[in-house]
Amino acid sequence: MFQGSFVALVTPMREDGSVDDESLKALVGWHVEQGTDGIVAMGTTGESATLDEKEHCKAIEQIIDYTAGRVPVIAGTGANSTTEAVRLTRCAEQAGADACLLVTPYYNKPTQEGLYLHFKAVAEAVDIPQMLYNVPGRTACDMLPETVGRLSGIANIIGIKEATGLLDRVSQLRELCGDEFDIFSGDDATSREFVLAGGQGTISVTANIAPAEVHQMIAAALDGDTGRAEMIDKAIQPLHTNLFLEANPIPVKWALHEMGRIPTGIRLPLTWFADEYRDTLRQAMIQASVLQN
């Protein structure tokens, strides 16, 4: 259903923490111009954990409005409460999202059966196409390929964002879920190899500041052009590492501010990027040609 480079979009905020609608609209327009294949609204990078439900739904509506059908929008609607995930997913469906992305419930550490029943319940409650999101490094919960295979049999569960960085998951998931199931990387450092191994694309943090480069790299990988994909990836590889010097989205919001694209707002408990890491990230941005020396 989906393919290519999807940006896990930041949510621009003013100093007081309010959402900066003007910067958000400009970011969406820039991504469309730069060739980004799709936008993920209100994921981890969008600070979904610090927005309340009303703000969450409004941001999704705004991004869909600003995109104006030019690229697909996948709305992040996951929660560690099944009832909350249903409410957010229904909100995204009503706003006109193309699909929803639902993270595994965090903190409460459900069993594999609990994960199956959670996602099954949301899929049965809301008809919109839904992508699973497995990121155990943040949720303390790893949804195993066998569980994903069971869930792939539900008609409106159409794919997964797999952020373990384990490349053998691609072949495991493909065998269990079939050729029609979308398998996306959620790990920038391994996304090129992930797509070359059979994935459909990436949902990327790096694409926030290097949208054209990530798009071109993923397009080359999808075409099987290993050499071109590797050449592009090599130039932006330091970004994949240094955009995680502190918890995402702290570094990427600072990087976008350095590029003049967003103000300095971020919500507690997240804090502004520490001085000690800035030169390292700035040099990576210069190397990737997204910032002038």
Side-chain angles (χ1 to χ4, degrees):
M1 185 172 179
F2 300 111
Q3 181 172 280
S5 171
F6 280 60
V7 61
L9 193 69
V10 304
T11 303
M13 296 175 183
R14 303 179 186 91
E15 286 269 357
D16 63 2
S18 61
V19 176
D20 185 339
D21 302 337
E22 186 176 331
S23 294
L24 181 60
K25 183 176 183 179
L27 272 185
V28 168
W30 181 56
H31 276 287
V32 173
E33 292 167 5
Q34 291 289 303
T36 294
D37 297 296
I39 292 173
V40 172
M42 284 290 98
T44 303
T45 312
E47 289 177 79
S48 57
T50 67
L51 274 67
D52 62 32
E53 284 190 36
K54 184 177 179 180
E55 292 174 316
H56 191 124
C57 291
K58 182 182 177 183
I60 290 169
E61 290 171 2
Q62 288 176 307
I63 291 167
I64 292 169
D65 181 50
Y66 297 153
T67 305
R70 292 174 291 176
V71 296
V73 175
I74 300 175
T77 59
N80 63 348
S81 159
T82 304
T83 54
E84 182 181 354
V86 168
R87 288 196 302 269
L88 290 171
T89 303
R90 189 170 287 130
C91 164
E93 181 184 50
Q94 292 168 351
D98 294 281
C100 289
L101 179 71
L102 290 105
V103 69
T104 53
Y106 41 86
Y107 185 75
N108 39 20
K109 295 185 177 181
T111 64
Q112 295 300 307
E113 183 66 12
L115 290 171
Y116 173 77
L117 293 172
H118 167 81
F119 287 113
K120 179 175 180 285
V122 180
E124 289 177 346
V126 192
D127 289 337
I128 191 170
Q130 295 171 30
M131 291 185 72
L132 313 170
Y133 178 16
N134 188 39
V135 56
R138 293 196 76 120
T139 64
C141 173
D142 185 8
M143 183 161 54
L144 300 179
E146 292 76 15
T147 304
V148 180
R150 290 178 69 194
L151 288 164
S152 70
I154 299 171
N156 59 329
I157 295 182
I158 54 92
I160 185 170
K161 175 184 177 183
E162 175 60 57
T164 58
L166 301 173
L167 295 175
D168 60 354
R169 289 269 172 117
V170 183
S171 59
Q172 292 173 1
L173 290 167
R174 183 62 65 215
E175 182 177 352
L176 290 164
C177 302
D179 292 337
E180 301 303 314
F181 195 75
D182 288 349
I183 303 174
F184 270 67
S185 170
D187 178 61
D188 277 304
T190 58
S191 62
R192 169 176 56 88
E193 296 99 321
F194 191 99
V195 173
L196 287 168
Q200 269 84 28
T202 185
I203 296 175
S204 169
V205 175
T206 300
N208 276 283
I209 63 171
E213 292 80 0
V214 176
H215 163 76
Q216 291 161 9
M217 185 262 288
I218 295 298
L222 286 167
D223 287 341
D225 190 341
T226 304
R228 176 166 169 74
E230 185 175 0
M231 178 186 71
I232 298 168
D233 197 24
K234 184 176 181 180
I236 60 176
Q237 192 69 34
L239 294 177
H240 303 333
T241 302
N242 293 316
L243 284 172
F244 294 90
L245 285 167
E246 291 188 312
N248 179 47
I250 292 172
V252 73
K253 292 196 89 171
W254 177 85
L256 282 165
H257 176 66
E258 281 290 286
M259 296 168 71
R261 297 202 171 274
I262 65 170
T264 58
I266 197 164
R267 288 191 182 182
L268 289 171
L270 300 177
T271 53
W272 200 238
F273 196 41
D275 290 347
E276 63 192 277
Y277 299 123
R278 294 180 185 180
D279 284 345
T280 301
L281 180 51
R282 187 179 288 111
Q283 287 305 310
M285 294 169 69
I286 292 168
Q287 180 179 332
S289 301
V290 299
L291 190 68
Q292 298 299 312
N293 196 343

